[in-house]
Amino acid sequence: MDSSYKAIGVEQKWQKKWDKSKLYKVDLKSKKPKYYNLVMFPYPSGDKLHVGHWYNYGPADSWGRYKRMNGFNVLEPMGFDSFGLPAENYAIKTGVPPQESTARNVKYMIKQLSAIGTMYDWEKMVNTSEPEYYKWTQWVFLELYKKGLAYKKEAPVNWCPGCMTVLANEQVQEGKCERCGSLVTPKNLNQWFFKISNYAENLLDHSKLDWPEKTKVMQTNWIGRSEGVFWQQKIKDFDIKIEAFDSVPQTYMAQTFAVIAPEHPLVAKLVKGTKQEKAVMAFVEKVKKKKMANKFDVEADSEGIFTGRYIDNPFGTGDLPLWIASFVVMGYGSGIVNCSAHDERDFAFAKKYNIPLKPVMAPADPVEAKKVMNLEYCYHHDPEAIMQLPEKFKGRKWGEARKDIIKYVEEKGIGKAAVNYKLKDWLISRQRYWGAPIPMINCKKCGMQPVPKKDLPVILPIKGVDYKPKGKAPLASVPKFVNTKCPKCGGKAEREVDTLDTFMCSSWYYLRYLSAKDKVKAFDMAAVKKWLPVDTYIGGPEHACMHLLYARFIHKVLMDDKKAEPFKRLVHQGLITKDGAKMSKSKGNVVSPDEFVAKYGSDVFRMYLMFMGPFTEGGDWSDKGITGIARFTDRFWRLISDENVKVEDAVALKRTLHKLIKRIKEDIEKMQFNTAVAALMEFVNFANKNGVDKAGKKIIAQLIAPLAPHLAEECWELLGNKTSVFDSKWPTYDPKLAVDSTVRIGVQVNGKVRGEIEISKDANKEEAFKSAKSQENVLKYLAQGQVVKEIYVPGKIIGFVVK
RNA sequence: GCCCGGGUGGCGGAAUUGGUAGACGCGCAGGACUUAAAAUCCUGUACUAGCAAUAGUGUGCGGGUUCGAUUCCCGCCCCGGGCACCA
């Protein structure tokens, strides 16, 4: 008789049953404790799901199933982040409207996702490119606009003169357009921003979050908080006040020059009509081009030019010549920096252009101090350094004097204590078609007006759109879309033709799942209060500084609570590589799960991925071991379906089962699915020798259920159950039974293992040593000298020290 | 350059409040069943020596602490990821 497990048929059978019985439909109002198990939603490309998708969704689903069996009402939704460039590029190439290709891809992807055997509640699905979704994305924009967090300003974009369009950073390769190869140039455009920088301080607070340390550190560094002062100063002969940020204000007496960023708008004004104007502007152009082409080398291209202007030095140490320096970052601080001898870059710059330097601190060691004062090298970042100047702080330690110096410069009015961040405001407008239109209207009379919320959504037109870029956003080519009435005065007005960054769609979707069909509001606050924060959010670490930061920001704004957090526990799945490289279409190394799933079934494939190693670490793909899991699955099935198994040792079976329940629980809680699978294998090996009763079979069917849902259902049914194993209660264990009564421990002499004894788990010292000394091999080594120390750690080790 | 991870058999990996390193699986070798093969089952498998008992070596490298170190400390090397002129 062929008793082997027929995975394919069984899996289809259960997927149909689950579907029909609506097993995974979630009642959001249920009284059961809630559990929001969220996984980052995918972009619906037309490609098949690859191993990476499975590695993400399979274990995430196993986790949800485990929580469900532990009595939680688990919400496990799925949706599609469907706006974005690939569909638009496809449209440009083929003329197929993104609406069509996207709808097709979504349909295809739902089918594939279902084949994994996940418990998604498809009734709650969201699709960000559908009007019923992006209507509310627009609504979110208007909320931010209302709160004064959305504004417009000029900002540079990557412009491809060949394609006549704006390029995303990743479309620029070595300064050239990735498609046509034209040299990309900077172009200033008036664009929309969100004031995420207003929330910098709140976003730094990770105290309520159970996130990987690495991710929190990445966000912290990204936000880049820095304490210091803004020097208050003016440019000589001009009525222009300028600030300069300084995180090391102790240098104030050391400042001998100042530098300004080449891109700074003041530059042209400062040199206008002077004899150096031409040279300066040429220099500025040169640097700008280099920076835009991403060809800027920090070391090699550190250069500058004197503006001919001076900063009215407020420190009484003489005026500071103002130079343009290529290394100054425009977007940080004010784009102007006061320079001193105690900064590596400033030091090198001054040496290069023969600008005088004046050290004000030195090491305690007099020989080194002399070198520093003679400018032999740049000395910095040492809090133990001794101040040499000015008189007021002379002799004090540099690190310690800092706060008094800040106090002093504030009193003198030459500086203001301040905190500065690297985090820049979020640029949300895109000169693209396939995105949510920005709901704003430009009226010549009334200015920029928000679209009234009752008029949402601003529908993205399908007909008459020229996807091919012609120098303007594609929507500008649709007069029907552009021409509208001013909501304020009723006169002729024009719509905003830019669309929203897709990160905006994904920064609030977890709220929409809770009320996907709601026609009157973006999200149901009662449901949000009940279901948020998301209990576990699973997704790739590449989103640490973009999506995860944006979502936290938007959440705080929408909740009107700067402390609100959307995602409580965050888990990053590891990356699956192929021959050490990230899988990608262009490299042609994408591994498809299809042939494996067709051969072994989705349970085996899922378990194999989990068995490969720790979930958070990923690994290099190899199909070498999948037969091991297939064998295990067969063995498992045979064990369950064999009715003639005799139990040899009932006590041992009981203890082994309780130990197993404990291990599986602990492993799954830590998302170490690999060791959970190993534990089940060990049990099957044990049961094949010792036998297992029906009660035991039921337990292992439950334990394997999160990892191999179809197999578990089939076993569960075979064992006489009429309802789903996922409606059964997760087995519990008795801690007293989950340990062995005896243990095998090693016996060491001088740290080397010389024997092994089996004794009762909590045997006393005498018993243990007696047993140890009954070992011939141990005695041999003990006889080599005097026993000076005896060590006994119950359940772990016996040790003797012999001299 | 700076900040995180990580380095364990032929391979994927297991084990860390310091306590028998290598669970589990793959692969390999031998055996059983079979006319044969596949499938399945059993046995062995870190390396070196030995028939074996056993001994020596062994968790990237070099030191240290300890009765005992994959685990703790110091100094390096290599791999992966992130940031990268942030004054």
Coordinates of all heavy atoms in Angstrom, one line a residue, chain A residues 337-365:
Chain A
V337 N 29.8 77.8 7.8 CA 30.5 77.2 8.9 C 31.7 78.1 9.3 O 32.4 78.5 8.4 CB 31.0 75.8 8.6 CG1 31.7 75.2 9.8 CG2 29.9 74.9 8.1
N338 N 31.8 78.3 10.6 CA 33.0 79.0 11.1 C 34.1 78.0 11.3 O 33.8 76.9 11.9 CB 32.7 79.7 12.4 CG 31.8 80.9 12.2 OD1 31.2 81.1 11.1 ND2 31.6 81.8 13.2
C339 N 35.3 78.3 10.9 CA 36.3 77.3 10.9 C 37.5 77.6 11.9 O 37.8 78.7 12.2 CB 36.9 77.1 9.5 SG 35.7 76.7 8.3
S340 N 38.1 76.5 12.4 CA 39.2 76.7 13.3 C 40.3 75.6 13.1 O 40.1 74.7 12.3 CB 38.6 76.5 14.7 OG 38.5 75.1 15.0
A341 N 41.3 75.7 13.9 CA 42.4 74.8 13.8 C 42.1 73.5 14.4 O 42.9 72.5 14.3 CB 43.6 75.4 14.5
H342 N 41.0 73.3 15.0 CA 40.6 72.1 15.7 C 39.6 71.2 14.9 O 38.8 70.5 15.5 CB 40.2 72.4 17.1 CG 41.3 73.0 17.9 ND1 42.5 72.5 18.2 CD2 41.3 74.3 18.4 CE1 43.2 73.3 18.8 NE2 42.6 74.4 19.0
D343 N 39.7 71.3 13.6 CA 38.8 70.4 12.8 C 39.7 69.9 11.7 O 40.3 70.8 11.0 CB 37.6 71.2 12.3 CG 36.7 70.3 11.4 OD1 37.0 70.2 10.2 OD2 35.7 69.8 11.9
E344 N 39.7 68.6 11.4 CA 40.5 68.1 10.4 C 40.4 68.8 9.0 O 41.3 69.1 8.3 CB 40.3 66.6 10.2 CG 40.6 65.7 11.4 CD 42.1 65.4 11.5 OE1 42.9 65.9 10.7 OE2 42.5 64.6 12.4
R345 N 39.1 68.9 8.6 CA 38.8 69.5 7.3 C 39.3 70.9 7.2 O 39.9 71.4 6.3 CB 37.3 69.4 7.0 CG 36.9 68.0 6.7 CD 35.4 67.9 7.0 NE 35.1 68.4 8.3 CZ 33.9 68.5 8.8 NH1 32.9 68.2 8.1 NH2 33.8 68.9 10.1
D346 N 38.9 71.7 8.3 CA 39.2 73.1 8.3 C 40.8 73.3 8.2 O 41.3 74.1 7.5 CB 38.7 73.8 9.6 CG 37.2 73.7 9.7 OD1 36.6 73.2 8.7 OD2 36.6 74.0 10.7
F347 N 41.4 72.4 9.1 CA 42.9 72.5 9.2 C 43.5 72.2 7.8 O 44.4 73.0 7.4 CB 43.3 71.4 10.2 CG 44.7 71.4 10.6 CD1 45.2 72.2 11.7 CD2 45.7 70.7 9.8 CE1 46.5 72.2 12.0 CE2 47.0 70.8 10.2 CZ 47.4 71.5 11.3
A348 N 43.1 71.2 7.1 CA 43.6 70.8 5.8 C 43.4 72.0 4.8 O 44.2 72.3 4.0 CB 43.0 69.5 5.3
F349 N 42.1 72.5 4.9 CA 41.7 73.6 3.9 C 42.6 74.8 4.1 O 43.1 75.4 3.2 CB 40.3 73.9 4.2 CG 39.7 74.8 3.1 CD1 39.2 74.3 1.9 CD2 39.5 76.2 3.4 CE1 38.6 75.1 1.0 CE2 39.0 77.0 2.4 CZ 38.5 76.5 1.2
A350 N 42.8 75.1 5.4 CA 43.6 76.3 5.7 C 45.1 76.2 5.3 O 45.7 77.1 4.7 CB 43.6 76.6 7.2
K351 N 45.6 74.9 5.5 CA 47.0 74.7 5.1 C 47.1 74.8 3.5 O 48.0 75.4 3.0 CB 47.4 73.3 5.5 CG 47.6 73.1 6.9 CD 49.1 73.2 7.2 CE 49.3 73.3 8.7 NZ 50.7 73.3 9.1
K352 N 46.1 74.3 2.8 CA 46.1 74.3 1.4 C 46.1 75.7 0.8 O 46.7 76.0 -0.1 CB 44.9 73.5 0.9 CG 44.8 73.4 -0.6 CD 43.7 72.4 -1.0 CE 43.7 72.2 -2.5 NZ 42.6 71.3 -2.9
Y353 N 45.3 76.6 1.5 CA 45.1 78.0 0.9 C 45.9 79.0 1.8 O 45.6 80.2 1.7 CB 43.6 78.3 0.8 CG 43.0 77.4 -0.3 CD1 42.2 76.4 0.1 CD2 43.2 77.7 -1.6 CE1 41.6 75.6 -0.9 CE2 42.6 76.9 -2.6 CZ 41.8 75.9 -2.2 OH 41.2 75.1 -3.2
N354 N 46.8 78.5 2.6 CA 47.5 79.5 3.5 C 46.7 80.4 4.3 O 47.0 81.6 4.4 CB 48.5 80.3 2.6 CG 49.7 79.4 2.1 OD1 50.2 78.5 2.9 ND2 50.0 79.5 0.8
I355 N 45.7 79.9 4.9 CA 44.9 80.7 5.8 C 45.4 80.6 7.2 O 45.7 79.4 7.6 CB 43.4 80.3 5.7 CG1 42.9 80.3 4.3 CG2 42.5 81.2 6.6 CD1 41.6 79.6 4.1
P356 N 45.6 81.6 7.9 CA 46.2 81.5 9.3 C 45.3 80.7 10.2 O 44.1 80.7 10.1 CB 46.3 83.0 9.8 CG 46.0 83.8 8.6 CD 45.3 83.0 7.6
L357 N 45.9 80.0 11.1 CA 45.2 79.2 12.1 C 45.6 79.6 13.5 O 46.7 80.1 13.7 CB 45.4 77.7 11.9 CG 44.8 77.1 10.7 CD1 45.4 75.7 10.4 CD2 43.3 77.0 10.8
K358 N 44.7 79.4 14.5 CA 45.1 79.8 15.8 C 44.6 78.7 16.8 O 43.4 78.7 17.2 CB 44.5 81.1 16.1 CG 44.9 81.7 17.5 CD 44.4 83.1 17.7 CE 43.0 83.2 18.1 NZ 42.4 84.5 18.3
P359 N 45.4 77.8 17.2 CA 45.0 76.8 18.1 C 44.7 77.3 19.5 O 45.4 78.3 19.9 CB 46.2 75.8 18.2 CG 47.1 76.2 17.1 CD 46.9 77.7 16.8
V360 N 43.7 76.8 20.1 CA 43.3 77.3 21.5 C 43.3 76.2 22.5 O 43.0 76.4 23.7 CB 41.9 78.0 21.5 CG1 41.9 79.2 20.6 CG2 40.8 77.0 21.1
M361 N 43.6 75.0 22.1 CA 43.8 74.0 23.1 C 44.9 73.0 22.8 O 45.3 73.0 21.6 CB 42.5 73.1 23.2 CG 42.2 72.4 22.0 SD 41.0 71.0 22.3 CE 40.6 70.5 20.6
A362 N 45.4 72.3 23.8 CA 46.6 71.5 23.5 C 46.6 70.3 24.5 O 45.9 70.4 25.6 CB 47.8 72.3 23.7
P363 N 47.3 69.2 24.2 CA 47.3 68.1 25.2 C 48.1 68.5 26.4 O 48.9 69.5 26.4 CB 48.1 67.0 24.4 CG 48.2 67.5 23.0 CD 48.0 69.0 23.0
A364 N 48.0 67.8 27.5 CA 48.7 68.1 28.7 C 50.2 67.9 28.5 O 51.0 68.6 29.1 CB 48.2 67.2 29.8
D365 N 50.6 66.9 27.8 CA 52.0 66.6 27.5 C 52.6 67.8 26.8 O 52.2 68.2 25.7 CB 52.1 65.4 26.6 CG 53.6 65.1 26.2 OD1 54.5 65.6 26.9 OD2 53.7 64.4 25.2

